[in-house]
Amino acid sequence: MLHLIKTGGDDVAFDDIDEVAPWIDFAWEVGQDLNADQSGGTRIFKSHGVLSRVHEGCKYVCIIRDPIKMLKSLYTFIYAKMIDHVSSPMCMSLLADVNVFYHSKGWKTGMLFSGGDSFFKHYVEFYKCRHCPTVSFLTFEDIQADLRGTIKQMCDFVGVSPTAALVDKVAERTSLEWMTEHSAKFDDHMLYERQVRLGRWGFQLNPPTSKVNLRPKSLEGKRNSELSDETIAGLRADWKRLVTPETGFETYEDMAAALRKERAVGALGRC
């Protein structure tokens, strides 16, 4: 979305989105120069790090999602990405059941997605910084519910006029339909190819897997992706232990509702 906004909604010639929005965490491994100029002037980057670990002096777009849906989505993605690249019994057991995956070190410590910080630390840090003018704090659910409104909000955030023509172009090319049709642009194949070619990787190689509308039918019957009552209760207990004391919110739904109210009255992004 941000790449399209800064390029007038026209630049979709990239082969992999990571080419035009470098993933900071993998830049060295794939030989990307983070100081290089980018098309459209404004430079954009991606990171899975918590806010306190990302470079200072930027603007930050922070997105959160219902933890229950996030766990299922991440599990499905990791399964599709790794099932053909692991063979140890331990790894296979983690991939075979989302409830086993939930208890894994990779999930509990954030090793798989945020550099070793708890998944829930994102919610706490983003929320505490929600009034900073350099931070735009969004929920995945609100983006889905109002894509065009989100595009206009992002235009304002980066100082681009949200003309009707621009919003139309960006809305079309950030739609689930368009991105599914062009899913190869969003599968990280550039990361994998360069890791192999340069012989550089840390935790593991990053095999290409589509992030768009991922429903791998070939994997059905080979895994359990349904969360048990125990796992759901564990996620809610994690929230109350790690997020509630810092924010006062008993549930994710409470936090998302409060953010919606603040956004409606223009309170977000104002210190």
Side-chain angles (χ1 to χ4, degrees), residues 104-179:
S104 70
K105 185 177 180 180
W107 169 263
K108 289 290 189 180
T109 66
M111 184 185 300
L112 286 173
F113 48 83
S114 60
D117 287 299
S118 165
F119 168 68
F120 291 96
K121 190 173 181 180
H122 289 272
Y123 296 84
V124 173
E125 291 198 358
F126 292 171
Y127 183 75
K128 287 184 175 181
C129 294
R130 71 194 186 283
H131 291 153
C132 294
T134 56
V135 173
S136 183
F137 188 16
L138 307 169
T139 72
F140 181 82
E141 294 81 9
D142 288 348
I143 295 172
Q144 281 190 314
D146 186 9
L147 178 59
R148 297 178 71 85
T150 301
I151 293 167
K152 293 176 183 178
Q153 183 181 342
M154 288 297 96
C155 285
D156 291 339
F157 186 60
V158 298
V160 172
S161 177
T163 64
L166 176 61
V167 173
D168 286 345
K169 286 182 182 179
V170 177
E172 176 194 354
R173 292 170 174 177
T174 55
S175 67
L176 183 59
E177 293 76 16
W178 192 93
M179 294 180 70

Side-chain angles (χ1 to χ4, degrees), residues 42 79 192:
T42 301
Y79 185 102
Y192 180 71

Side-chain angles (χ1 to χ4, degrees), residues 3 6 19-22 34 36-45:
H3 172 71
K6 71 171 186 167
E19 296 172 359
V20 294
L34 295 179
D37 292 335
Q38 295 182 14
S39 60
T42 301
R43 296 189 301 156
I44 57 175
F45 304 92

Side-chain angles (χ1 to χ4, degrees), residues 62-87:
C62 310
I63 302 172
I64 58 172
R65 188 180 187 182
D66 180 336
I68 292 174
K69 293 179 180 178
M70 170 60 188
L71 174 59
K72 291 186 68 172
S73 176
L74 179 66
Y75 166 73
T76 299
F77 178 69
I78 294 296
Y79 185 102
K81 179 178 282 289
M82 300 306 302
I83 192 61
D84 293 328
H85 300 272
V86 298
S87 57

Side-chain angles (χ1 to χ4, degrees), residues 201-220:
W201 62 86
F203 176 60
Q204 65 188 31
L205 280 167
N206 199 352
T209 305
S210 178
K211 299 184 180 75
V212 183
N213 205 20
L214 181 60
R215 290 177 174 80
K217 292 183 179 180
S218 61
L219 308 180
E220 291 177 1

